[in-house]
Amino acid sequence: MSTSFESEVTAKAAESGAEASARFQERMAAAGGRSGVVDTARVNYLASKVIKGLNDIVIEDKVSYEEYNALKAWLIKVGADGEWPLFLDVWLEHSVEEVASAHREGSKGTIEGPYYREGSPELEWNGTIPMRDDEPGNPLVFSGQVRAVDGTPLSGAKIELWHADDLGFYSQFAPGLPEWNLRGTWIANEDGRFEIHTLRPAPYQIPTDGACGQLIAAAGWHAWRPAHLHFKVSAPGYELITSQLYFPGDPHNEDDIASAVKPELMLDVKDNPAGEGFVTEYDFVLDPES
Ligand code: MBD
Ligand code: FE
């Protein structure tokens, strides 16, 4: 049974779908056709393959009209709930990211997910993330260096960080949060170093009250992602890295619903010897643009 507090929290969650769809469409429009256009031969090849794959499943697994209609109703609901970004980023993006980053020699990355916003407030190399006065969570000091694969420190590199609050909500996707809450952009110092002051994120459940949640419940799956920090790290002349970092011991590191955990993305977290909370160090190594 859910308490009224829980239902208030989950009711808020569905609104993130509409926001994620709208923000994605804005970004595609702003890219001015440079992204999201695929040539005819490739569309013919890929779309034919997807359609054949689905037809093969129907024949092989003797899919009934009941099952077909359940699928049709569910697909309609994914759109109505604005959950195509969520569905695709949870169940497909990890393979796209694997293909896109296979050539990299620098740090591993992982999926972006549906909740990135460009243009978060710029902070000094050692600044504190924007947060509410009473923001719940334990302090986390995250420090490291951005450098090139050849070892050159990348002074002025940009480290964008975004993460959910203690209840699992992302600013600009859930209502009632300050615009840039728990989102910031650090500029690395002359040695490529940064020291981010934020909060340790909590384990995270994807919204359960929309179409994706309906699928998860109907299939008997769970909706959890391990606690994670999202990053985009960039410097002129280098390939941007989109990443997420994770915390050892999280019960969902092994069964992330979004399949976005890699061993290289696990932080080494220690108690802060100088005060409250935790400290961790992680370096980002960028490949030169080809
Ligand atoms: C998230 O916070 C997330 O990071 C991903 C990949 C999917 C859904 C919600
Ligand atoms: Fe996330």
Side-chain angles (χ1 to χ4, degrees):
M1 284 310 314
S2 66
T3 65
S4 61
F5 173 73
E6 274 166 357
S7 52
E8 187 188 307
V9 164
T10 50
K12 269 167 80 178
E15 298 176 39
S16 56
E19 288 297 329
S21 296
R23 297 295 85 77
F24 176 75
Q25 284 167 318
E26 271 172 27
R27 277 169 73 189
M28 291 292 281
R34 274 172 287 126
S35 180
V37 176
V38 181
D39 75 68
T40 304
R42 185 73 172 162
V43 173
N44 175 29
Y45 172 76
L46 290 175
S48 298
K49 200 161 177 175
V50 169
I51 291 166
K52 181 175 189 311
L54 291 171
N55 279 278
D56 287 350
I57 292 168
V58 171
I59 301 294
E60 266 170 46
D61 293 297
K62 299 188 167 53
V63 172
S64 69
Y65 260 102
E66 258 161 42
E67 290 167 332
Y68 174 65
N69 286 332
L71 173 65
K72 215 163 167 179
W74 182 77
L75 289 170
I76 292 167
K77 185 170 164 58
V78 177
D81 292 346
E83 286 199 342
W84 280 114
L86 182 65
F87 173 77
L88 290 166
D89 294 352
V90 166
W91 282 294
L92 195 57
E93 192 189 353
H94 65 93
S95 296
V96 180
E97 192 277 336
E98 183 181 321
V99 171
S101 66
H103 65 283
R104 287 233 185 102
E105 287 171 30
S107 299
K108 289 265 186 255
T110 190
I111 65 173
E112 175 177 318
Y115 302 140
Y116 171 66
R117 291 294 283 145
E118 204 180 335
S120 62
E122 278 196 14
L123 305 159
E124 296 291 301
W125 74 279
N126 60 352
T128 299
I129 203 164
M131 66 172 109
R132 294 165 288 181
D133 289 342
D134 55 353
E135 194 69 47
N138 290 116
L140 174 70
V141 182
F142 176 101
S143 55
Q145 186 187 39
V146 185
R147 57 179 181 272
V149 284
D150 68 5
T152 312
L154 297 176
S155 164
K158 265 171 58 169
I159 305 103
E160 295 173 78
L161 165 63
W162 70 103
H163 66 87
D165 70 12
D166 219 44
L167 294 173
F169 295 118
Y170 284 88
S171 58
Q172 302 187 43
F173 294 90
L177 294 168
E179 189 177 20
W180 295 105
N181 207 53
L182 303 178
R183 295 175 185 273
T185 302
W186 287 258
I187 308 297
N189 72 10
E190 56 280 6
D191 305 315
R193 298 203 159 272
F194 58 86
E195 185 185 285
I196 292 172
H197 295 258
T198 189
L199 298 173
R200 181 170 174 159
Y204 175 86
Q205 236 184 337
I206 72 163
T208 53
D209 54 344
C212 292
Q214 188 186 39
L215 170 63
I216 287 166
W221 302 337
H222 72 78
W224 291 97
R225 298 212 61 223
H228 58 281
L229 300 167
H230 289 271
F231 294 93
K232 281 187 186 279
V233 180
S234 58
Y238 293 86
E239 280 190 44
L240 177 149
I241 296 183
T242 299
S243 194
Q244 298 183 35
L245 297 172
Y246 304 96
F247 296 80
D250 189 294
H252 296 291
N253 283 335
E254 275 73 49
D255 67 353
D256 177 13
I257 182 82
S259 309
V261 180
K262 303 177 186 182
E264 298 86 349
L265 303 177
M266 207 53 65
L267 290 166
D268 180 13
V269 182
K270 300 194 165 71
D271 288 335
N272 187 349
E276 237 191 300
F278 304 94
V279 294
T280 190
E281 285 179 34
Y282 186 89
D283 297 342
F284 294 99
V285 180
L286 307 193
D287 284 70
E289 240 161 30
S290 46

